[in-house]
Amino acid sequence: SAVISQKPSRDICQRGTSLTIQCQVDSQVTMMFWYRQQPGQSLTLIATANQGSEATYESGFVIDKFPISRPNLTFSTLTVSNMSPEDSSIYLCSVQDEDYEQYFGPGTRLTVT
Amino acid sequence: QKEVEQNSGPLSVPEGAIASLNCTYSDRGSQSFFWYRQYSGKSPELIMFIYSNGDKEDGRFTAQLNKASQYVSLLIRDSQPSDSATYLCAVNTDKLIFGTGTRLQVFP
């Protein structure tokens, strides 16, 4: 399986600011995903990020709040914009292989004060 | 109706016993099914996947799929305290849908 890294691993941010999370994969992958996991909850898909096209957002998530870049087949960023305490969560990127198996990065733990 | 349902637990089993984790799903068109293990403070780790009806075994883990009943399960034989974690069932329709997870506690 691919090796996935995320930066930062954690951050504490003030409300109203923005944070960009980076996801790096050690091999080329077509499909990358961004998830959110709030405390004690399961994973919620934010968007699918395919290289060369606009990200596809799930219901309840909008590009203005969560802009995503996918400049190449090994890298993606997710920005959490104009943060509020409700955005405090773990943000995870994942990649999917040709067998539809998804593997997750270590996550970014975000606290908004 | 939730798309993927799991009992939240905790499921407590003694060391050496069989732990049985269950999951039901609503979309009959689902083609692939996954079990992830998530330790506290860590990201989910893929441990099993199954595509066809029946059983699939990998070491101490067995995944069971019954598409007619829309039911998938995970059996962990010879449970160890290190198996204590939350187990997430995920079902692939046009995207991966996760259940809320079952917390497993294996006590010595």
Side-chain angles (χ1 to χ4, degrees), chain A residues 35 37 40-43 45 58 90 92 96 99-107 109, chain B residues 32 34 36 38 41-46 49 51 88 92 95-101:
Chain A
Y35 288 83
Q37 188 173 31
Q41 303 295 315
S42 189
L43 286 81
L45 180 63
E58 297 299 309
I90 297 172
L92 296 144
Q96 181 171 287
D99 294 320
Y100 300 100
E101 297 163 28
Q102 280 194 28
Y103 299 91
F104 286 85
R109 184 179 296 270
Chain B
S32 49
F34 304 87
Y36 287 82
Q38 187 172 27
K42 301 295 185 182
S43 63
E45 172 192 9
L46 181 63
F49 56 89
Y51 304 138
L88 299 166
N92 200 330
K95 59 185 177 184
L96 204 58
I97 306 296
F98 284 84
T100 54

Side-chain angles (χ1 to χ4, degrees), chain B residues 4 7 14-15 17 21 32 34 38 46 50 62 65 68-69 73-74 81-82 88 91 97 103 105:
Chain B
V4 179
N7 188 315
E15 184 174 358
L21 304 161
S32 49
F34 304 87
Q38 187 172 27
L46 181 63
I50 187 166
T62 299
L65 175 62
S69 300
S73 65
L74 179 70
S82 59
L88 299 166
V91 175
I97 306 296
R103 188 156 63 95
Q105 296 177 334

Side-chain angles (χ1 to χ4, degrees), chain B residues 2-61:
Chain B
K2 291 184 180 179
E3 295 182 72
V4 179
E5 293 205 44
Q6 296 181 255
N7 188 315
S8 62
L11 173 66
S12 293
V13 300
E15 184 174 358
I18 296 175
S20 178
L21 304 161
N22 304 314
C23 173
T24 58
Y25 60 95
S26 61
D27 188 340
R28 285 194 171 274
S30 301
Q31 293 297 317
S32 49
F33 307 85
F34 304 87
W35 283 99
Y36 287 82
R37 177 176 62 198
Q38 187 172 27
Y39 292 113
S40 181
K42 301 295 185 182
S43 63
E45 172 192 9
L46 181 63
I47 55 172
M48 286 288 289
F49 56 89
I50 187 166
Y51 304 138
S52 304
N53 275 329
D55 295 0
K56 178 182 179 182
E57 186 174 318
D58 184 0
R60 294 187 297 112
F61 299 101

Side-chain angles (χ1 to χ4, degrees), chain A residues 23-35:
Chain A
C23 180
Q24 180 76 53
V25 189
D26 70 342
S27 58
Q28 293 186 339
V29 293
T30 302
M31 299 189 74
M32 293 181 75
F33 305 86
W34 287 98
Y35 288 83

